[in-house]
Amino acid sequence: MGDLGLGQEFHTWHQFSSFFDDWCEKHKVLFIIASLKPLISLRQNPLHYQPSLAATLRFRFVRLICKHSGTYVGQSTIDCPASITLRLGPKKDRLVVIEASLEHNHKLSEVEFAHYFKRHQLEASMGLPIRITNSVSKRFLAPDLIWNLEDYSKAKDKGMCELLSQLDGLFKSDPAAKVKLVFQEDVAVLNSIFLATSHMRSLVQRFPRCLYMDKAACVNSEFELYSVLCQDGNGRGRECAYCVARRGVPDLVIFIVASLVQSAPDIKLKVKCLTVGAGITDVDAVEEVLPCARVQICRLQVLEALYRKARELAVPKEDKVRNLLHNMANASSPRVYSQYLSDLEDVAPLPFLQYYLEHWHHNKGMWAECWAFERNCDCPFLEHMSFHQQKLRSALSPPLGLAACVRGLLELQALRVEMAALNEERVSELYRAVCPPDSAALIAEELGLAKHANYHVKEVPEGFLLDGGICSFLVSRDLAACSCSIYVSSRRPCRHLFATRLWTGQPLYDPGLLHAPSGGEGQDT
C-alpha cells in the first residue's frame, strides 16, 4: 500500500488522525492503538517547548497495530504483523512516522470494515472508558460525575482533563448549571458540549417568547460555537445556552433546542418563535420540541445568500434578479409572492432558478414577509447576534482548545460585561421626560456609576445580593427597593437597582421606581 511511509511528518494530531481515517477508508484496513505516551505527563514538569504543543500534538510516541495482530488475549488468532509507529521528531514540533509495516497476512474484509470502522477514533479521549462515555451522553452531568471523569483522564488526556477542570469549577460556583458532554457512540470522541448557567436559565425562563439561534464563532478547525439568545425587557439579546459542536455533527439543532427545554422545562409551551440564521438548515423537527413555536429564518441573511449565489453564477441582468428577490422576500401576500416568482422564472437562468427552488422556495414560509411570525416588524436577530459576536471577540481568540473556549464563555457571564455596553444616556433621557431636573440629574449620575461598578450578583431568598468587595447591598425581589443609603434617603433608583435590573433583564426605565413604597429595606453590610 502506498501514500503512507517512513519519514512522513504531521504537525498536529488532528492532521494525522484525518489523514489516517482517509487512508484506512481507502484501503479498508482496521488499526487500533497498541501503546502511546502523552506529550506531557501530569506527574512531571513540562519541558519548555511542550505547553503550546500539548493540545495539538498530544503524544510523543504512538504505536498502531492491525486489529488482527493477536497481541491481546481474545483479540485475534491471525497474528497480523502490520503496524505503524510515530515518534516526536528531533525538532520537537511534529510527529514523524518511524515504522510503517503495511502488509497484512490476511484478507481484508469490506463487510468487517464497514461494521467496525468509525472516523475520529484516534481523537478519542484515551482516559475515558466507552461504557462511561455512552452513559454520559444521555443526560446532564452531575458534579460527582465530573470528578470521576477527571480521575479517568489524569495523566492520559491533558485536553480532556483541562476541560473537566473548567466544568468542575463551574459546578463549584454554580451547582444549578446544566452541562452535557456528548460522545460518539462506542467511541470516546467528544462531539459536543451543551452549557447553560443558572443565570442563563433564569433569563430564558423570564423571557421565553422569542429565541434566536445561530453559529456564532469558529472555535478551531474542528469545533464551532452555536449560541441561543433571548430578548430581555430592555430589548437586549441575552445568552441562554451555548453549544460547542464538532463540525458536521448531525441533528445538532434539535439537540440544542431539546437540551435547552430540558434545562428549563417551563419554556416548552411559552416559546412562540425561534429565529435561526440562514446557514442553519435542519429545523424541520423543532416544532416537535417547541409545539407552540414558529420557526423563522433570518430574511436578510437569506437575501444575502441569494445575492452571493447570483454573483457566483454570473447571472445576467443581476440587478433585476436582485430586485425580484427583494420583492419576493418582502411580499405583502402569498399572491404577490407567486407573482414575483413567476417573473423570476422568466428572467433567471436555469441553474440559479434550480438553486432557488431547491434551497429556498420550499421553506418560503420561514423567511418571506407575508408568512412572518410578526408582520411589518423589524426582526432583531441580526442586531442581537452582532452584539453577541462582538462580546465573543473580546473573550475568544481562535483557534482555541475546548477548555479555553469554555473558560472564555463563562467569563462573559458577568455583570461588568453587560454593563460595558449600557447606553445610559438613552435611559437618562426617558427619566428626564418625567422627572424634575434635579431628580433626573441624580438618576443620570447613578446610571453612570452603575456602568462602571463591579458587582457580583447573587439571588437570595430576600431578593438579590450585590457584593462590591467592600460593601454589599440587598435589592428587593421586586427590584424596586435597595438597602443602600442613597435609596433609603431619597427613594430614587440607585446604581444597585439599575445594575440588578440590567443583570436580570428587567427594564431600566420604570416610572414606578420614582414612587416606590417605603419599607422592606435592609442595612448596608
Side-chain angles (χ1 to χ4, degrees):
M1 295 178 195
D3 59 335
L4 177 63
L6 294 176
Q8 197 158 351
E9 298 179 344
F10 299 92
H11 292 268
T12 69
W13 183 248
H14 175 66
Q15 181 189 9
F16 172 71
S17 174
S18 299
F19 170 86
F20 195 66
D21 280 348
D22 293 340
W23 184 81
C24 288
E25 279 192 301
K26 177 181 178 181
H27 300 289
K28 300 296 184 288
V29 292
L30 294 166
F31 279 80
I32 60 174
I33 292 178
S35 61
L36 54 80
K37 295 179 181 179
L39 187 65
I40 291 181
S41 170
L42 298 186
R43 299 185 182 92
Q44 299 174 354
N45 293 326
L47 299 178
H48 67 88
Y49 62 84
Q50 289 178 335
S52 63
L53 294 173
T56 54
L57 290 180
R58 291 187 64 181
F59 308 107
R60 54 191 171 92
F61 175 88
V62 179
R63 185 165 184 262
L64 301 158
I65 58 176
C66 174
K67 182 178 181 292
H68 295 285
S69 71
T71 299
Y72 302 113
V73 175
Q75 182 188 62
S76 177
T77 59
I78 298 175
D79 198 17
C80 179
S83 65
I84 300 163
T85 304
L86 296 93
R87 187 185 294 276
L88 192 66
K91 295 182 178 180
K92 313 297 185 185
D93 63 349
R94 68 198 68 185
L95 291 168
V96 180
V97 177
I98 62 170
E99 178 207 9
S101 301
L102 305 181
E103 295 301 323
H104 296 258
N105 64 358
H106 57 95
K107 184 178 180 181
L108 306 179
S109 167
E110 291 194 16
V111 174
E112 181 188 23
F113 178 85
H115 180 74
Y116 287 106
F117 178 76
K118 291 182 174 67
R119 294 187 68 87
H120 308 301
Q121 288 191 84
L122 293 183
E123 297 184 65
S125 173
M126 301 305 170
L128 300 180
I130 289 173
R131 61 180 174 81
I132 298 293
T133 58
N134 283 351
S135 173
V136 160
S137 298
K138 299 175 182 177
R139 63 183 191 270
F140 287 115
L141 293 177
D144 57 346
L145 185 55
I146 290 287
W147 304 332
N148 291 339
L149 294 175
E150 277 193 283
D151 285 339
Y152 281 118
S153 297
K154 282 180 180 177
K156 294 180 182 178
D157 190 333
K158 184 174 184 293
M160 178 59 68
C161 213
E162 290 177 343
L163 172 61
L164 293 170
S165 177
Q166 287 296 322
L167 297 178
D168 182 33
L170 167 62
F171 280 121
K172 286 177 179 175
S173 62
D174 185 7
K178 295 293 185 181
V179 178
K180 282 185 180 180
L181 296 180
V182 181
F183 295 84
Q184 289 184 29
E185 189 173 4
D186 297 330
V187 184
V189 173
L190 184 62
N191 267 358
S192 56
I193 306 166
F194 174 87
L195 188 156
T197 67
S198 59
H199 177 62
M200 295 162 77
R201 293 169 56 216
S202 296
L203 285 170
V204 76
Q205 287 169 330
R206 292 189 188 105
F207 308 103
R209 184 172 181 268
C210 293
L211 302 180
Y212 311 88
M213 178 168 57
D214 203 3
K215 183 176 76 174
C218 291
V219 178
N220 53 44
S221 62
E222 301 168 69
F223 286 88
E224 299 170 319
L225 170 67
Y226 290 78
S227 299
V228 184
L229 313 180
C230 61
Q231 179 171 290
D232 71 9
N234 293 296
R236 293 161 62 114
R238 304 292 295 276
E239 298 87 0
C240 50
Y242 294 124
C243 183
V244 181
R246 188 178 294 276
R247 294 175 188 269
V249 169
D251 304 319
L252 182 62
V253 172
I254 196 67
F255 163 73
I256 296 173
V257 174
S259 298
L260 178 61
V261 172
Q262 289 167 2
S263 70
D266 291 346
I267 73 171
K268 184 177 180 71
L269 302 179
K270 297 178 181 178
V271 179
K272 303 304 178 185
C273 183
L274 171 67
T275 303
V276 302
I280 293 180
T281 55
D282 53 336
V283 295
D284 294 339
V286 167
E287 292 179 6
E288 296 177 11
V289 182
L290 298 173
C292 300
R294 286 277 307 279
V295 178
Q296 288 191 158
I297 304 173
C298 176
R299 187 179 311 133
L300 289 177
Q301 286 192 352
V302 172
L303 281 174
E304 288 174 2
L306 288 167
Y307 294 162
R308 282 196 302 271
K309 193 66 177 181
R311 287 194 300 272
E312 177 188 321
L313 296 175
V315 170
K317 301 180 181 179
E318 184 180 335
D319 288 346
K320 187 170 184 178
V321 168
R322 287 169 62 102
N323 286 336
L324 287 171
L325 293 170
H326 179 271
N327 292 338
M328 291 167 64
N330 295 282
S332 58
S333 70
R335 182 186 61 80
V336 173
Y337 172 90
S338 297
Q339 179 182 331
Y340 284 122
L341 176 59
S342 178
D343 294 342
L344 183 70
E345 291 171 340
D346 293 337
V347 174
L350 184 59
F352 180 81
L353 193 59
Q354 286 179 329
Y355 167 79
Y356 177 78
L357 294 175
E358 291 173 4
H359 290 84
W360 299 111
H361 175 65
H362 71 281
N363 58 11
K364 59 186 180 296
M366 295 184 181
W367 58 270
E369 165 68 20
C370 57
W371 289 285
F373 169 65
E374 291 180 323
R375 296 185 57 184
N376 301 315
C377 292
D378 291 334
C379 177
F381 174 87
L382 288 176
E383 180 182 353
H384 291 339
M385 281 297 167
S386 176
F387 177 58
H388 171 59
Q389 289 170 334
Q390 182 180 339
K391 289 198 291 184
L392 289 176
R393 285 192 289 272
S394 69
L396 306 180
S397 299
L400 290 169
L402 295 181
C405 176
V406 169
R407 180 170 61 250
L409 294 177
L410 294 176
E411 287 173 353
L412 286 178
Q413 296 302 306
L415 176 61
R416 57 178 173 74
V417 176
E418 293 300 325
M419 278 295 183
L422 171 63
N423 185 346
E424 69 268 32
E425 181 57 31
R426 186 169 62 182
V427 182
S428 298
E429 281 291 338
L430 295 172
Y431 280 105
R432 276 195 281 269
V434 297
C435 287
D438 57 339
S439 295
L442 291 173
I443 290 173
E445 182 180 357
E446 288 299 301
L447 275 165
L449 291 169
K451 182 170 182 177
H452 298 97
N454 188 14
Y455 298 113
H456 174 73
V457 184
K458 181 180 181 181
E459 191 167 358
V460 295
E462 300 84 2
F464 298 88
L465 188 66
L466 273 73
D467 183 0
I470 299 175
C471 296
S472 59
F473 307 92
L474 182 65
V475 172
S476 62
R477 181 157 290 281
D478 64 358
L479 301 173
C482 179
S483 66
C484 75
S485 58
I486 294 174
Y487 175 82
V488 170
S489 63
S490 68
R491 290 297 190 273
R492 282 190 292 264
C494 62
R495 68 201 73 172
H496 314 112
L497 278 176
F498 287 130
T500 309
R501 280 178 162 265
L502 186 71
W503 181 241
T504 59
Q506 298 303 320
L508 294 178
Y509 173 69
D510 182 354
L513 295 178
L514 304 175
H515 310 287
S518 60
E521 302 87 7
Q523 299 296 320
D524 295 6
T525 59

